[in-house]
Amino acid sequence: MGSTAARTYLAFHHNAKLYKLSAVVSAITPFPALEEANKLLFKKGTDNDFAIVTNQTIFHPQGGGQPSDEGVMTMGDVSVFRVSMVRMDAVKDGQVLHFGRFDSSSSSIFQLGDTVEQSIDVEKRLLYSRLHTAGHVLGAAVRHLLEKEIPGFDELKASHFPDSAACEFQGSIEGTWKEPIQQKVDEYIDRAMPVEVDFWDEEDFRKNGLERLIPDQSLAPPGEKFRVVKIVGAEVYPCGGTHVDTTDLCGKTAVKKISRTKGTSRVSYAVN
């Protein structure tokens, strides 16, 4: 079993439309043998589960407000491993843990060095991508309308989960802004603005007047640039998530509610 694993290459960072991929198993660990910090990442883990690391992956790990991809890894007709949760390893830097279990029909489990075929649940991936882009659209709309209206305005964190999608902002946003925000969101989505992925260093942020967005250097692998997602004509965000190609592909995006607590505001949303 054990591990020879280095950082996992995040194939979805470079091509979010890759729904199948061949990968090589670099670690396989029974759930009970995992470090405590990694067991906590998969609360539903049992003695029948494993954590598998591969040299590259199309599975987006839960993080950055986006849910984990789900799917399967197969080796011919011999072994089927159902991936139910994917997380970044809490102990080993840059490794992606695929949690799940082998089908009872599997005649053997994977071994180190095996080549396996990864395939993700495409329907869920597309929903998560729509929600993530819609969250950026909402953030851009609120910034456009309120950056100069609200003292100390800033964008904080966001959740792009289907049942709890929301963006949080510094400053108090009154409920009267709900309709103008909805109109701006509709405008950005109707314009079918291109959504582009790029890789920037600190100098690129400065050249674009976006010093406020420079991420912590520890978030990029050594020697690599930061991944950014640009909604062309609106905003740029440092982001590791998956997105649709143009804003209209988010579909109808509804601003649901604005709530306020202790100087911050939360604007919740949904895609149909």
Side-chain angles (χ1 to χ4, degrees):
M1 300 266 169
S3 167
T4 57
R7 295 184 76 90
T8 308
Y9 177 77
L10 306 178
F12 61 85
H13 266 184
H14 305 273
N15 182 358
K17 291 206 185 71
L18 217 47
Y19 302 140
K20 288 186 184 294
L21 180 71
S22 282
V24 176
V25 175
S26 50
I28 174 165
T29 309
F31 183 77
L34 285 171
E35 303 92 337
E36 282 307 313
N38 281 327
K39 284 183 183 172
L40 291 172
L41 298 176
F42 188 46
K43 295 193 171 63
K44 295 179 181 166
T46 70
D47 291 357
N48 298 320
D49 292 298
F50 289 83
I52 292 177
V53 181
T54 50
N55 66 324
Q56 57 180 347
T57 189
I58 49 170
F59 286 86
H60 183 288
Q62 180 177 311
Q66 183 169 325
S68 159
D69 279 328
E70 297 172 31
V72 294
M73 290 197 238
T74 56
M75 195 170 66
D77 300 326
V78 181
S79 304
V80 177
F81 182 76
R82 298 207 176 270
V83 179
S84 55
M85 168 64 80
V86 186
R87 297 294 295 267
M88 295 306 296
D89 193 306
V91 180
K92 300 181 190 77
D93 190 40
Q95 289 187 15
V96 175
L97 298 176
H98 305 80
F99 292 104
R101 64 179 58 178
F102 289 93
D103 274 5
S104 54
S105 61
S106 298
S107 56
S108 66
I109 67 170
F110 304 151
Q111 304 297 319
L112 291 185
D114 281 346
T115 297
V116 297
E117 178 89 1
Q118 298 181 339
S119 28
I120 57 169
D121 182 324
V122 177
E123 203 171 299
K124 282 185 176 167
R125 160 65 71 80
L126 291 174
L127 173 61
Y128 301 156
S129 298
R130 289 171 56 218
L131 278 159
H132 204 141
T133 303
H136 285 216
V137 167
L138 174 61
V142 173
R143 177 172 286 280
H144 180 89
L145 290 168
L146 297 177
E147 186 172 22
K148 294 183 174 65
E149 299 284 335
I150 291 178
F153 175 87
D154 201 3
E155 292 177 72
L156 303 174
K157 58 186 181 179
S159 165
H160 312 295
F161 280 68
D163 51 355
S164 59
C167 298
E168 292 185 19
F169 304 91
Q170 190 68 48
S172 184
I173 302 174
E174 294 303 321
T176 49
W177 282 104
K178 182 170 179 274
E179 196 45 48
I181 293 169
Q182 181 69 66
Q183 287 171 2
K184 183 54 78 174
V185 165
D186 290 346
E187 178 199 324
Y188 282 169
I189 283 176
D190 290 346
R191 277 164 59 187
M193 300 157 102
V195 181
E196 296 177 353
V197 170
D198 204 351
F199 291 86
W200 284 8
D201 57 22
E202 288 193 16
E203 192 49 41
D204 293 316
F205 284 96
R206 290 196 181 92
K207 277 192 306 210
N208 286 278
L210 292 169
E211 291 90 337
R212 65 180 170 79
L213 292 178
I214 295 174
D216 182 333
Q217 190 59 52
S218 69
L219 297 175
E224 287 190 25
K225 295 183 176 185
F226 298 106
R227 186 175 185 267
V228 296
V229 172
K230 297 191 269 189
I231 297 179
V232 179
E235 290 288 328
V236 178
Y237 293 97
C239 181
T242 64
H243 290 268
V244 291
D245 288 339
T246 51
T247 55
D248 56 308
L249 296 175
C250 295
K252 175 65 182 165
T253 300
V255 178
K256 288 166 63 180
K257 182 178 162 189
I258 302 174
S259 51
R260 292 164 296 284
T261 36
K262 296 179 183 164
T264 66
S265 301
R266 188 172 187 274
V267 183
S268 59
Y269 71 97
V271 299
N272 63 8

